Amino acid sequence: MFCPWPFAVCGLVFRKDGITEDIWQKAGCSRSSCISSSAFLRYELRNGSLFDERIKIIISLVEITDLTHSFGDNILFRNADFVLNKGEHAGVVGQNGAGKSTFIKICTGQAVPDSGKVSWAKGITAGYLDQYAHIDAGLTLEGFLKSAFLDLYRLEKQRNELYSRAADGDMDSMRRAARYQERLEASGFYSIDTYISQVAAGPGLTGIGMERPVGQMSGVQRAKVILAKLLLEKPDILLLDEPTNYLDAEHIEWLKRYLNEYEN
Protein backbone atom coordinates (compact mmCIF):
# COMPACT_ATOMS: atom_id res chain seq x y z
CA MET A 1 0.00 0.00 0.00
CA PHE A 2 1.30 3.45 -0.90
CA CYS A 3 0.03 6.69 0.53
CA PRO A 4 -1.36 8.80 -2.35
CA TRP A 5 -2.32 11.74 -0.17
CA PRO A 6 -0.47 15.07 0.24
CA PHE A 7 1.78 15.16 3.30
CA ALA A 8 -0.27 17.88 5.00
CA VAL A 9 -3.41 15.76 4.73
CA CYS A 10 -2.23 12.34 5.85
CA GLY A 11 0.24 13.71 8.39
CA LEU A 12 3.14 11.46 7.39
CA VAL A 13 6.55 12.95 6.74
CA PHE A 14 8.58 11.09 4.10
CA ARG A 15 12.11 11.10 2.80
CA LYS A 16 10.77 9.10 -0.13
CA ASP A 17 7.52 9.30 -2.05
CA GLY A 18 5.67 6.36 -0.50
CA ILE A 19 5.24 4.22 2.56
CA THR A 20 5.01 0.42 2.49
CA GLU A 21 2.44 -1.92 4.00
CA ASP A 22 5.07 -3.05 6.52
CA ILE A 23 5.47 0.48 7.87
CA TRP A 24 1.70 0.97 8.04
CA GLN A 25 1.43 -2.22 10.09
CA LYS A 26 4.16 -1.04 12.46
CA ALA A 27 2.17 2.17 12.90
CA GLY A 28 -0.90 0.12 13.75
CA CYS A 29 -3.19 2.04 11.45
CA SER A 30 -4.76 1.86 8.02
CA ARG A 31 -4.76 4.55 5.38
CA SER A 32 -8.35 5.52 6.17
CA SER A 33 -7.80 5.66 9.94
CA CYS A 34 -4.75 7.87 9.44
CA ILE A 35 -6.71 10.35 7.40
CA SER A 36 -9.77 10.50 9.64
CA SER A 37 -8.06 10.49 13.04
CA SER A 38 -7.37 13.73 14.89
CA ALA A 39 -4.04 12.30 16.03
CA PHE A 40 -1.62 11.93 13.13
CA LEU A 41 1.44 9.73 13.05
CA ARG A 42 4.75 11.21 12.01
CA TYR A 43 7.76 9.10 11.05
CA GLU A 44 11.37 9.84 10.38
CA LEU A 45 12.57 7.80 7.42
CA ARG A 46 16.16 7.25 6.44
CA ASN A 47 17.19 5.44 3.22
CA GLY A 48 13.63 4.25 2.75
CA SER A 49 13.32 2.53 6.14
CA LEU A 50 12.29 3.61 9.61
CA PHE A 51 15.07 5.59 11.25
CA ASP A 52 13.23 6.06 14.52
CA GLU A 53 10.27 3.77 15.14
CA ARG A 54 9.04 5.79 18.09
CA ILE A 55 5.74 7.35 17.12
CA LYS A 56 5.33 11.07 17.56
CA ILE A 57 1.70 12.12 17.93
CA ILE A 58 0.74 15.24 15.98
CA ILE A 59 -2.53 16.64 17.27
CA SER A 60 -4.86 17.97 14.61
CA LEU A 61 -6.63 20.93 16.24
CA VAL A 62 -9.11 21.58 13.45
CA GLU A 63 -9.96 19.74 10.24
CA ILE A 64 -12.11 21.06 7.40
CA THR A 65 -13.23 18.65 4.70
CA ASP A 66 -15.10 19.13 1.42
CA LEU A 67 -15.90 22.77 2.17
CA THR A 68 -18.09 24.44 -0.45
CA HIS A 69 -19.58 27.91 -0.04
CA SER A 70 -20.77 30.69 -2.29
CA PHE A 71 -22.49 34.06 -2.33
CA GLY A 72 -24.94 34.06 -5.19
CA ASP A 73 -22.96 33.16 -8.32
CA ASN A 74 -19.63 33.86 -6.60
CA ILE A 75 -18.12 30.54 -5.50
CA LEU A 76 -15.69 31.15 -2.63
CA PHE A 77 -14.75 27.53 -1.88
CA ARG A 78 -15.29 24.29 -3.74
CA ASN A 79 -14.50 20.94 -2.06
CA ALA A 80 -11.73 22.59 -0.02
CA ASP A 81 -9.79 20.74 2.70
CA PHE A 82 -7.72 22.22 5.51
CA VAL A 83 -5.88 20.82 8.54
CA LEU A 84 -4.19 22.77 11.33
CA ASN A 85 -1.93 20.80 13.67
CA LYS A 86 -0.76 21.90 17.09
CA GLY A 87 2.20 24.26 16.87
CA GLU A 88 1.52 25.29 13.29
CA HIS A 89 0.87 28.82 12.01
CA ALA A 90 -1.31 29.42 8.95
CA GLY A 91 -2.19 32.54 7.00
CA VAL A 92 -5.15 33.09 4.69
CA VAL A 93 -4.17 35.34 1.80
CA GLY A 94 -6.37 36.66 -0.98
CA GLN A 95 -7.89 39.68 -2.65
CA ASN A 96 -10.81 41.58 -1.15
CA GLY A 97 -13.93 39.49 -1.51
CA ALA A 98 -12.04 36.22 -1.86
CA GLY A 99 -13.64 34.86 1.30
CA LYS A 100 -10.95 35.27 3.98
CA SER A 101 -13.29 36.61 6.66
CA THR A 102 -15.99 34.16 5.63
CA PHE A 103 -13.55 31.29 6.07
CA ILE A 104 -12.75 32.38 9.62
CA LYS A 105 -16.45 32.78 10.42
CA ILE A 106 -17.10 29.27 9.14
CA CYS A 107 -14.32 28.01 11.41
CA THR A 108 -15.91 29.67 14.44
CA GLY A 109 -19.46 28.65 13.56
CA GLN A 110 -20.62 32.20 12.87
CA ALA A 111 -21.34 31.21 9.28
CA VAL A 112 -22.73 27.92 8.00
CA PRO A 113 -21.16 26.59 4.78
CA ASP A 114 -23.25 25.30 1.89
CA SER A 115 -21.64 21.91 2.45
CA GLY A 116 -18.63 20.39 4.18
CA LYS A 117 -17.58 19.61 7.71
CA VAL A 118 -15.58 21.50 10.35
CA SER A 119 -14.21 19.29 13.14
CA TRP A 120 -12.48 20.62 16.24
CA ALA A 121 -10.42 18.43 18.55
CA LYS A 122 -12.10 17.81 21.89
CA GLY A 123 -11.33 20.39 24.55
CA ILE A 124 -9.70 22.88 22.17
CA THR A 125 -10.28 26.58 22.88
CA ALA A 126 -10.35 29.06 20.02
CA GLY A 127 -10.12 32.82 20.29
CA TYR A 128 -11.57 35.02 17.54
CA LEU A 129 -10.58 38.65 17.09
CA ASP A 130 -13.83 40.59 16.83
CA GLN A 131 -12.74 44.22 16.58
CA TYR A 132 -16.34 45.37 16.96
CA ALA A 133 -17.19 43.37 20.07
CA HIS A 134 -19.29 45.11 22.73
CA ILE A 135 -17.35 46.29 25.79
CA ASP A 136 -18.86 47.69 28.97
CA ALA A 137 -18.12 51.40 28.62
CA GLY A 138 -17.66 51.74 32.38
CA LEU A 139 -14.76 49.27 32.54
CA THR A 140 -11.26 50.66 32.78
CA LEU A 141 -8.48 49.44 30.51
CA GLU A 142 -6.99 47.49 33.41
CA GLY A 143 -10.35 46.02 34.41
CA PHE A 144 -11.12 44.86 30.89
CA LEU A 145 -7.72 43.22 30.45
CA LYS A 146 -8.00 41.52 33.85
CA SER A 147 -11.30 39.99 32.72
CA ALA A 148 -9.16 37.65 30.60
CA PHE A 149 -8.35 35.87 33.88
CA LEU A 150 -11.81 35.70 35.45
CA ASP A 151 -11.54 31.96 36.10
CA LEU A 152 -8.35 32.47 38.11
CA TYR A 153 -9.83 35.33 40.13
CA ARG A 154 -12.85 33.13 40.92
CA LEU A 155 -10.48 30.38 42.01
CA GLU A 156 -8.66 32.83 44.26
CA LYS A 157 -11.97 33.84 45.85
CA GLN A 158 -12.91 30.20 46.47
CA ARG A 159 -9.50 29.57 48.00
CA ASN A 160 -9.92 32.50 50.39
CA GLU A 161 -13.34 31.22 51.45
CA LEU A 162 -11.84 27.79 52.14
CA TYR A 163 -9.06 29.33 54.21
CA SER A 164 -11.72 31.11 56.27
CA ARG A 165 -13.42 27.78 57.00
CA ALA A 166 -10.07 26.18 57.73
CA ALA A 167 -9.45 28.81 60.41
CA ASP A 168 -12.38 27.28 62.30
CA GLY A 169 -10.73 23.86 62.24
CA ASP A 170 -12.17 22.47 59.00
CA MET A 171 -9.21 20.36 57.78
CA ASP A 172 -10.97 19.28 54.60
CA SER A 173 -11.28 22.95 53.60
CA MET A 174 -7.59 23.40 54.38
CA ARG A 175 -6.65 20.56 52.01
CA ARG A 176 -8.88 21.90 49.25
CA ALA A 177 -7.50 25.40 49.72
CA ALA A 178 -3.96 24.03 49.38
CA ARG A 179 -4.90 22.36 46.09
CA TYR A 180 -6.42 25.61 44.80
CA GLN A 181 -3.26 27.44 45.82
CA GLU A 182 -1.16 25.00 43.81
CA ARG A 183 -3.36 25.56 40.76
CA LEU A 184 -3.01 29.34 41.10
CA GLU A 185 0.76 29.10 41.32
CA ALA A 186 0.99 26.70 38.38
CA SER A 187 -1.15 29.00 36.21
CA GLY A 188 1.08 32.04 36.80
CA PHE A 189 -1.63 33.86 38.75
CA TYR A 190 0.85 35.96 40.71
CA SER A 191 2.43 37.25 37.50
CA ILE A 192 -0.83 38.48 35.96
CA ASP A 193 -0.10 42.17 36.53
CA THR A 194 3.33 41.86 34.91
CA TYR A 195 1.89 39.92 31.98
CA ILE A 196 -0.86 42.50 31.46
CA SER A 197 1.69 45.34 31.44
CA GLN A 198 3.81 43.54 28.85
CA VAL A 199 0.93 42.78 26.50
CA ALA A 200 -0.61 46.25 26.92
CA ALA A 201 2.72 47.86 26.03
CA GLY A 202 2.99 45.87 22.79
CA PRO A 203 0.26 47.70 20.82
CA GLY A 204 0.94 50.97 22.65
CA LEU A 205 -1.89 50.91 25.20
CA THR A 206 -0.02 51.91 28.34
CA GLY A 207 0.28 55.47 27.08
CA ILE A 208 -3.47 56.04 27.36
CA GLY A 209 -3.55 55.10 31.06
CA MET A 210 -4.60 51.83 32.67
CA GLU A 211 -7.40 53.59 34.59
CA ARG A 212 -8.97 55.14 31.52
CA PRO A 213 -12.59 53.99 30.94
CA VAL A 214 -13.25 52.12 27.72
CA GLY A 215 -16.09 54.52 26.96
CA GLN A 216 -13.56 57.36 26.59
CA MET A 217 -11.40 55.50 24.05
CA SER A 218 -11.31 56.00 20.30
CA GLY A 219 -12.29 53.22 17.90
CA VAL A 220 -8.61 52.49 17.20
CA GLN A 221 -7.84 52.23 20.92
CA ARG A 222 -10.81 49.92 21.50
CA ALA A 223 -9.63 47.63 18.70
CA LYS A 224 -6.19 47.42 20.32
CA VAL A 225 -7.74 46.67 23.72
CA ILE A 226 -9.78 43.80 22.26
CA LEU A 227 -6.66 42.38 20.61
CA ALA A 228 -4.68 42.64 23.86
CA LYS A 229 -7.36 40.82 25.86
CA LEU A 230 -7.51 38.01 23.31
CA LEU A 231 -3.73 37.55 23.50
CA LEU A 232 -3.90 37.48 27.30
CA GLU A 233 -6.50 34.70 27.19
CA LYS A 234 -4.03 32.46 25.30
CA PRO A 235 -6.52 30.12 23.60
CA ASP A 236 -5.27 27.00 21.84
CA ILE A 237 -6.00 28.61 18.49
CA LEU A 238 -5.96 32.31 17.63
CA LEU A 239 -8.16 33.36 14.71
CA LEU A 240 -7.11 36.87 13.73
CA ASP A 241 -8.99 38.67 10.98
CA GLU A 242 -6.84 41.60 9.78
CA PRO A 243 -5.27 42.21 13.22
CA THR A 244 -2.88 44.88 11.90
CA ASN A 245 -5.61 47.23 10.66
CA TYR A 246 -5.07 49.72 13.49
CA LEU A 247 -1.39 49.10 14.24
CA ASP A 248 1.56 51.18 13.09
CA ALA A 249 4.83 49.63 11.86
CA GLU A 250 6.38 49.35 15.34
CA HIS A 251 3.36 47.61 16.81
CA ILE A 252 3.04 45.29 13.81
CA GLU A 253 6.61 44.12 14.39
CA TRP A 254 5.76 43.48 18.05
CA LEU A 255 2.71 41.43 17.07
CA LYS A 256 4.75 39.39 14.58
CA ARG A 257 7.29 38.53 17.27
CA TYR A 258 4.55 37.68 19.75
CA LEU A 259 2.79 35.33 17.35
CA ASN A 260 6.03 33.66 16.26
CA GLU A 261 6.70 32.82 19.90
CA TYR A 262 3.10 31.79 20.64
CA GLU A 263 3.40 28.35 22.17
CA ASN A 264 0.09 26.86 20.98
Side-chain angles (χ1 to χ4, degrees):
M1 180 192 303
F2 288 88
C3 179
W5 303 94
F7 298 165
V9 175
C10 72
L12 296 170
V13 175
F14 300 99
R15 294 191 190 281
K16 289 198 172 183
D17 293 333
I19 186 165
T20 66
E21 177 72 29
D22 178 58
I23 294 176
W24 280 99
Q25 290 176 349
K26 288 180 179 179
C29 67
S30 65
R31 180 174 61 184
S32 60
S33 68
C34 174
I35 294 168
S36 63
S37 174
S38 63
F40 292 96
L41 303 177
R42 185 183 295 269
Y43 284 87
E44 288 290 335
L45 300 180
R46 176 174 289 177
N47 299 323
S49 62
L50 280 176
F51 167 63
D52 185 353
E53 294 189 11
R54 290 175 301 177
I55 297 174
K56 301 176 183 179
I57 301 299
I58 307 298
I59 302 300
S60 175
L61 301 180
V62 60
E63 298 179 45
I64 297 176
T65 53
D66 295 328
L67 174 65
T68 296
H69 194 66
S70 61
F71 281 118
D73 295 331
N74 183 21
I75 299 176
L76 299 178
F77 314 107
R78 180 186 285 122
N79 301 326
D81 294 336
F82 174 76
V83 176
L84 182 69
N85 295 322
K86 184 173 177 61
E88 292 182 338
H89 294 68
V92 182
V93 181
Q95 298 178 343
N96 289 339
K100 301 185 297 297
S101 295
T102 300
F103 178 76
I104 291 178
K105 290 179 179 179
I106 289 174
C107 288
T108 60
Q110 297 179 73
V112 179
D114 297 337
S115 64
K117 182 178 180 182
V118 180
S119 302
W120 289 84
K122 185 177 180 180
I124 291 300
T125 58
Y128 169 62
L129 177 60
D130 182 358
Q131 298 176 350
Y132 305 101
H134 172 74
I135 306 177
D136 184 348
L139 280 175
T140 64
L141 169 57
E142 181 180 26
F144 181 68
L145 295 183
K146 282 190 172 182
S147 68
F149 305 98
L150 281 179
D151 288 345
L152 293 179
Y153 284 116
R154 292 192 187 103
L155 187 62
E156 180 195 34
K157 181 179 179 180
Q158 293 170 354
R159 182 212 58 186
N160 292 340
E161 291 172 351
L162 289 169
Y163 275 141
S164 296
R165 296 177 196 169
D168 296 327
D170 186 340
M171 297 309 298
D172 181 62
S173 293
M174 175 62 77
R175 287 189 290 270
R176 290 173 59 196
R179 290 196 298 270
Y180 286 8
Q181 177 64 25
E182 290 175 357
R183 288 169 57 184
L184 288 170
E185 292 176 357
S187 66
F189 177 74
Y190 298 102
S191 300
I192 284 179
D193 289 342
T194 299
Y195 187 33
I196 286 177
S197 296
Q198 292 172 344
V199 173
L205 288 173
T206 50
I208 67 177
M210 296 298 285
E211 297 303 319
R212 186 169 185 177
V214 173
Q216 297 179 11
M217 295 181 187
S218 67
V220 171
Q221 291 169 337
R222 287 181 73 261
K224 290 181 177 181
V225 167
I226 293 170
L227 172 62
K229 183 194 173 188
L230 178 60
L231 297 180
L232 287 168
E233 290 173 339
K234 298 191 72 173
D236 296 313
I237 294 182
L238 282 170
L239 297 169
L240 307 179
D241 189 0
E242 299 184 341
T244 61
N245 272 357
Y246 302 105
L247 302 180
D248 58 26
E250 176 186 355
H251 301 145
I252 290 174
E253 287 303 313
W254 168 81
L255 181 60
K256 286 165 59 177
R257 291 193 301 271
Y258 186 94
L259 295 179
N260 282 332
E261 297 170 1
Y262 197 77
E263 63 186 32
N264 294 320

